[in-house]
Amino acid sequence: MITVHHLNNSRSQRVLWLLEELGLPYDIVRYQRDPKTMLAPPELRAVHPLGKSPVVVAEGMTLAESGAIIETLIERYGDGRLAPAAGSPEALRYRYWMHFAEGSAMPPLLLKLVFGRIESGKGMPFFVKPVARMIAGKVRETLIAPQLKAQLDFMEGELGKSTWFAGDEFSGADIQMSFPIEAARARGGLDASRPRLMAYLERIHARPAYQKALERGGPYALLG
Ligand SMILES: N[C@@H](CCC(=O)N[C@@H](CS)C(=O)NCC(=O)O)C(=O)O
């Protein structure tokens, strides 16, 4: 049996979706974010030292890091599904997007979230607020916004080459890429001006396995 340690509104939703796509049975152990800090509760550290979601336990192995989890589950249980044939041009793209999602796409989205909070000045002493706002605004303008724009343009262009990120077949790379694209929709400026990415979101949301994973995982909303 596969156990998914699932944090609400988090990357572990991707793993539930993958398991639904593969039609595998699994158990869910649920964790709730602290409503103030949005951090995972300390109990998750009992499963993995970093206490981040997702963590999966399967066949006695404790797996962390979504890309590694997705690749491992597909290799072990995919039976040729959801990954391109080794050595094909699609396999190269599959690997690229599998790494791009967390290695390149997520960092500016996380910075946007953190600096957005600083810019809001919430919970800060009044005399610090103007300086904090000015610095955070500068970082947003000069560092975060240009990166987000460049990445969105790039992804929009890539989806002009094939239906899915690794080629014409849906794959684990699409599951991995779903999180940054959903986060970009929530807070990274993704809107109707990038029709391919918007259509892509609609396509993934319409998949029965995606819907099923939502039913199992519970309400899913990414921070705006
Ligand atoms: N790169 C890691 C990121 C893991 C991560 O940061 N997970 C977030 C949930 S989306 C988390 O656990 N946040 C709560 C916390 O940091 O306490 C992965 O893809 O698994």
Side-chain angles (χ1 to χ4, degrees), residues 10-216:
S10 85
R11 289 161 167 90
S12 47
Q13 190 61 42
R14 271 190 299 210
V15 176
L16 305 184
W17 177 23
L18 169 66
L19 291 167
E20 293 295 341
E21 292 280 354
L22 291 174
L24 293 170
Y26 60 95
D27 281 332
I28 301 179
V29 181
R30 292 168 196 278
Y31 303 82
Q32 291 293 317
R33 289 180 186 268
D34 179 303
K36 256 201 183 143
T37 63
M38 298 312 287
L39 294 176
E43 298 86 77
L44 199 46
R45 267 182 250 136
V47 193
H48 185 278
L50 296 181
K52 302 266 180 202
S53 159
V55 179
V56 168
V57 178
E59 298 175 41
M61 300 176 292
T62 301
L63 309 170
E65 202 53 58
S66 5
I69 294 172
I70 292 174
E71 287 196 68
T72 306
L73 293 176
I74 291 175
E75 268 168 33
R76 291 213 165 218
Y77 309 108
D79 224 356
R81 294 169 295 165
L82 298 186
S88 63
E90 287 80 10
L92 208 58
R93 293 173 70 188
Y94 174 85
R95 180 173 291 159
Y96 176 79
W97 294 111
M98 197 63 91
H99 288 266
F100 174 88
E102 289 293 326
S104 291
M106 282 313 292
L109 287 160
L110 183 63
L111 287 176
K112 176 95 197 278
L113 188 67
V114 173
F115 280 91
R117 279 194 198 151
I118 296 173
E119 220 173 340
S120 80
K122 232 165 114 189
M124 279 181 204
F126 75 92
F127 54 88
V128 177
K129 279 186 195 182
V131 179
R133 276 198 183 129
M134 197 188 71
I135 296 171
K138 201 89 194 138
V139 174
R140 175 175 44 75
E141 235 174 72
T142 57
L143 178 78
I144 304 172
Q147 279 192 43
L148 286 175
K149 184 186 173 313
Q151 290 190 351
L152 284 172
D153 288 346
F154 172 55
M155 293 187 285
E156 178 76 9
E158 288 294 302
L159 282 179
K161 297 180 181 166
S162 56
T163 314
W164 301 104
F165 275 106
D168 286 324
E169 300 284 331
F170 174 80
S171 77
D174 296 295
I175 298 179
Q176 177 75 341
M177 282 298 292
S178 65
F179 192 79
I181 296 176
E182 285 173 339
R185 178 77 183 110
R187 61 170 180 272
L190 172 56
D191 60 18
S193 65
R194 292 189 176 85
R196 290 188 195 120
L197 281 164
M198 293 297 278
Y200 178 85
L201 272 181
E202 268 179 34
R203 274 201 305 285
I204 62 174
H205 292 164
R207 292 182 75 85
Y210 185 98
Q211 303 281 339
K212 188 87 193 296
L214 280 186
E215 276 167 38
R216 290 270 328 251

